[in-house]
Amino acid sequence: IIIDAIIMKIREGNVANRPVYVAMGLNLDGFRDVLGIWVGPSGGEGAKQWMTMLTDLRNRGIMDACIVCCDGLTGFPEAIQATWPLATVQTCVVHLIRASMRFVSYGDRKAVAAALKPIYTAANEDGALEALQAFEAGPWGAKYPAAVKTFHNAWDRFIPFLAFPPELRRVIYTTNAIESLNYQLRKVTKNRGHFPNDAAVVKLLWLAICNIEDKRARERAKEAGRPKSEPRNAPAKLVEGSTIQGWTKALNELSLRYPERFNPTI
């Protein structure tokens, strides 16, 4: 399960910025689907809202989740443990890098990003810790201690994916799949001002997803009869029913790592 939030202007007495949570699931066949859209309270993301959302997912039939990938949301690990006690919570590495880059001046970002790369590409947790310590002891760590602190604060939720092989790391490395969806949703909503209520937001976003998928399907249908020698430029599925590249290898690794949870369902 991959979870992210986008901010919308919604009227609740006064117009306020409120988070809209989108959850995307990846099933055993490697297909992605939007599991739900929820509007949170003003004031940001919190544990109570996450608990409400995850309980809704469980009540609708998601009895277990192997891995939940998010962007370091406050209170999320506790809500996960209460809903799916066996799930692994993984911080999105891309979000973590972006968070550390907030403290880096623009001219240094390229060099600092290159210096951080050995941390998240390490073979295991020990190698990642050595790389982080080397970065901290080097000139960039001395110049930007807040960037080092960002990794230390998120360490427990950053390292789970380091225990997985490359095939599985690529699946859980980032929330980019859902960010691509959110990018399309922002294009639909950016010129609409504010929304009158929560229901209007959820309805518009869901209809936007359906409309994008239908439009892309029509474009693919137009190119379906072309010879293989001719280029095909129609966009792929946005999310509904789209597949993960290299999913077969990732599924094999998951089944070996979680045999007691996979065997009853495969």
Side-chain angles (χ1 to χ4, degrees):
I1 296 177
I2 307 172
I3 301 177
D4 199 10
I6 53 178
I7 302 301
M8 299 288 180
K9 292 184 180 296
I10 306 172
R11 180 176 294 280
E12 50 175 356
N14 296 322
V15 177
N17 288 330
R18 296 173 60 187
V20 180
Y21 307 103
V22 182
M24 180 188 297
L26 180 63
N27 66 16
L28 289 176
D29 296 320
F31 291 113
R32 289 184 292 219
D33 285 294
V34 174
L35 303 178
I37 302 172
W38 301 264
V39 179
S42 58
E45 303 157 343
K48 182 178 179 181
Q49 175 62 29
W50 286 120
M51 197 67 230
T52 300
M53 189 184 79
L54 296 175
T55 300
D56 181 32
L57 289 176
R58 183 177 175 87
N59 290 343
R60 289 195 282 117
I62 301 179
M63 304 308 295
D64 192 13
C66 289
I67 302 167
V68 181
C69 186
C70 60
D71 60 350
L73 302 165
T74 302
F76 192 81
E78 294 76 12
I80 286 292
Q81 291 167 3
T83 309
W84 300 300
L86 300 178
T88 298
V89 181
Q90 171 63 48
T91 293
C92 171
V93 178
V94 172
H95 276 87
L96 181 58
I97 296 171
R98 288 176 184 167
S100 66
M101 287 295 175
R102 293 192 190 119
F103 308 100
V104 180
S105 62
Y106 183 80
D108 292 337
R109 288 186 178 182
K110 187 174 181 179
V112 172
L116 289 173
K117 188 173 182 179
I119 301 173
Y120 58 86
T121 57
N124 50 45
E125 180 183 348
D126 292 338
L129 183 58
E130 290 179 5
L132 178 60
Q133 291 171 343
F135 179 87
E136 186 174 6
W140 295 124
K143 187 174 182 179
Y144 300 112
V148 177
K149 185 178 179 181
T150 302
F151 270 85
H152 280 302
N153 291 342
W155 193 255
D156 289 342
R157 300 301 173 186
F158 159 69
I159 58 176
F161 92 115
L162 295 174
F164 297 118
E167 294 82 7
L168 195 51
R169 286 191 189 188
R170 283 192 287 269
V171 175
I172 62 176
Y173 170 79
T174 177
T175 59
N176 276 356
I178 200 168
E179 288 192 0
S180 297
L181 169 64
N182 287 347
Y183 172 74
Q184 296 295 331
L185 297 181
R186 289 188 185 97
K187 288 172 62 177
V188 174
T189 60
K190 68 178 180 179
N191 294 325
R192 293 182 180 268
H194 69 272
F195 293 88
N197 51 52
D198 296 1
V201 176
V202 175
K203 183 176 181 179
L204 177 64
L205 294 183
W206 180 247
L207 291 175
I209 294 172
C210 296
N211 183 56
I212 292 170
E213 296 288 15
D214 289 345
K215 182 178 179 180
R216 292 188 174 195
R218 290 194 297 269
E219 292 181 22
R220 291 194 300 272
K222 291 179 181 178
E223 297 183 352
R226 290 185 180 180
K228 293 184 178 180
S229 57
E230 295 184 12
R232 300 190 181 190
N233 301 315
K237 295 178 180 178
L238 176 62
V239 55
E240 293 294 320
S242 62
T243 57
I244 293 290
Q245 187 175 4
W247 173 246
T248 302
K249 292 182 178 179
L251 181 63
N252 285 325
E253 296 293 343
L254 283 170
S255 63
L256 292 174
R257 189 166 294 272
Y258 305 109
E260 71 285 352
R261 296 159 74 185
F262 267 67
N263 289 342
T265 58
I266 293 182

